[in-house]
Amino acid sequence: MRSPSFSSLMAAMVLVVAVPLLFVNAAPSSSILRRAVSKLPEGTTPMQIQLRKKAGATEEEPAHLVRSKTKQGNNAIVFDVVGGWTIGKTKKAAIAKTTADGGEMKKEAAVLNRVDQLYAYGQEAANDRHWIIMPDVTKGSTPLYDLEDLLQVVKPKTAKACEDIVDKAVVLTAAAAKKWAKAARVVHLDLHPGNVFFDKKMTQAELVDWGSALDYDEMLKDSSAEDLDETIESTAKTFFQQAKDEICAKIK
C-alpha cells in the first residue's frame, strides 16, 4: 500500500474522449519543472495522435492503445501502446498514461524527462486532458519484473531464500533512488514493490511512477545528504518489509 505521506493524489479516473492529441512542450509550473530540461527529447514534439473509436467498441478509446490489465494506478488511466512508440527509426515498448490533472501531469513529465523515462508529453486541445508516453520497462531488451512477479519466476524454495531476495531488492532499490537523487536532483520516496522492477539476476533496479517525487535540493535545505540517504534506505526497507512478511512467511 502506498504511503499517503509520500504520495500526492493526481485526479479521478475518467474515460478517454475521441479527439486529436497534440504533444507540446510543458510550460513551467513548479520548482521541479523550472529546473527540468525545457525542450523535450528530440523527435517527441510536436506529435499528433489520432484518438478514434475502435471498431465494435462500446467506449471511445484510442484505436492504437489498449487499456492495461496489469499496470493501472490509483489516479490515472494506463494504456499499453500497441506496436510501441517510434523514437527516431526505432520502435520502443511503451505505455501511455492520462489524467485530467494538468498540473500534476506536467510535473511528472518534467521529472520523467530528467530520469530518461519520457518519450512524449502533451494535452488534448478539446478537453485539456494530459498524456504521458513512457517506456514499458517490462518489455525491454532485458525483461524486468516487479517483486511479486520476480518471486514467481525465481521460485525460492525456502522462506530464507525468499527473504534474501527481498533484502537484495531493498539494497538495489535504495541504490537506484540515491543515484537519481544526485544525478537528476529528484527523490523517489514512493518505493513500494509495485514501483520497482528488477532483472532476473537482480543486478539492477528500475524505478517507475515518479508522480510524487520530491525536489532533492529543496529537501537539502532541511536535511543533510547523509540524512536523505538514510531516509531513502529506511523507506525502501519499510515498503518491502510487508512483502517479506506476507509472501516469504508462506514458504515452508
Side-chain angles (χ1 to χ4, degrees):
M1 183 177 295
R2 302 186 182 206
S3 171
S5 61
F6 295 139
S7 301
S8 57
L9 296 179
M10 291 174 61
M13 292 171 61
V14 296
L15 295 178
V16 178
V17 180
V19 295
L21 173 63
L22 178 64
F23 283 87
V24 297
N25 286 331
S29 64
S30 70
S31 59
I32 288 182
L33 200 56
R34 282 195 295 272
R35 280 194 287 273
V37 177
S38 59
K39 182 180 178 182
L40 299 186
E42 183 178 354
T44 63
T45 58
M47 270 182 195
Q48 196 166 19
I49 292 180
Q50 183 67 39
L51 305 185
R52 58 191 182 275
K53 188 175 180 179
K54 299 178 186 178
T58 58
E59 298 179 358
E60 300 285 351
E61 288 190 349
H64 63 294
L65 303 182
V66 176
R67 196 176 297 221
S68 176
K69 296 181 180 179
T70 60
K71 304 182 183 74
Q72 294 304 325
N74 295 328
N75 307 300
I77 303 174
V78 180
F79 295 86
D80 292 315
V81 180
V82 178
W85 187 260
T86 302
I87 303 294
K89 297 182 179 179
T90 305
K91 287 281 189 179
K92 300 284 189 179
I95 58 176
K97 180 177 180 180
T98 181
T99 182
D101 191 330
E104 287 299 317
M105 199 63 113
K106 286 179 181 179
K107 172 187 171 184
E108 184 171 357
V111 174
L112 288 172
N113 197 32
R114 292 168 70 171
V115 298
D116 299 324
Q117 288 186 18
L118 181 68
Y119 287 163
Y121 163 79
Q123 68 186 86
E124 299 170 16
N127 63 3
D128 204 33
R129 171 161 290 281
H130 292 250
W131 287 73
I132 288 175
I133 310 294
M134 64 193 102
D136 184 347
V137 300
T138 67
K139 297 178 181 178
S141 56
T142 300
L144 300 181
Y145 311 88
D146 65 17
L147 182 65
E148 184 176 355
D149 288 343
L150 179 67
L151 290 172
Q152 292 178 359
V153 171
V154 176
K155 298 185 185 328
K157 298 183 182 301
T158 66
K160 177 62 167 57
C162 178
E163 291 172 355
D164 288 344
I165 291 174
V166 176
D167 289 341
K168 181 65 177 295
V170 170
V171 172
L172 291 173
T173 298
K178 289 188 287 186
K179 177 194 76 172
W180 284 118
K182 295 173 177 60
R185 316 309 287 179
V186 288
V187 183
H188 193 320
L189 288 176
D190 196 8
L191 298 173
H192 69 78
N195 281 344
V196 191
F197 289 78
F198 309 91
D199 63 309
K200 186 176 179 180
K201 295 182 179 180
M202 296 201 74
T203 62
Q204 62 174 308
E206 187 79 23
L207 308 181
V208 301
D209 198 352
W210 290 82
S212 58
L214 303 176
D215 188 283
Y216 183 67
D217 293 309
E218 289 295 323
M219 296 183 73
L220 283 176
K221 294 178 180 179
D222 300 316
S223 303
S224 67
E226 292 76 14
D227 287 341
L228 288 181
D229 281 350
E230 290 180 7
T231 297
I232 290 171
E233 292 167 2
S234 63
T235 300
K237 185 175 182 180
T238 298
F239 273 120
F240 279 78
Q241 183 62 45
Q242 183 176 357
K244 183 184 290 188
D245 294 340
E246 293 182 358
I247 301 175
C248 297
K250 297 178 181 178
I251 302 177
K252 303 299 182 182

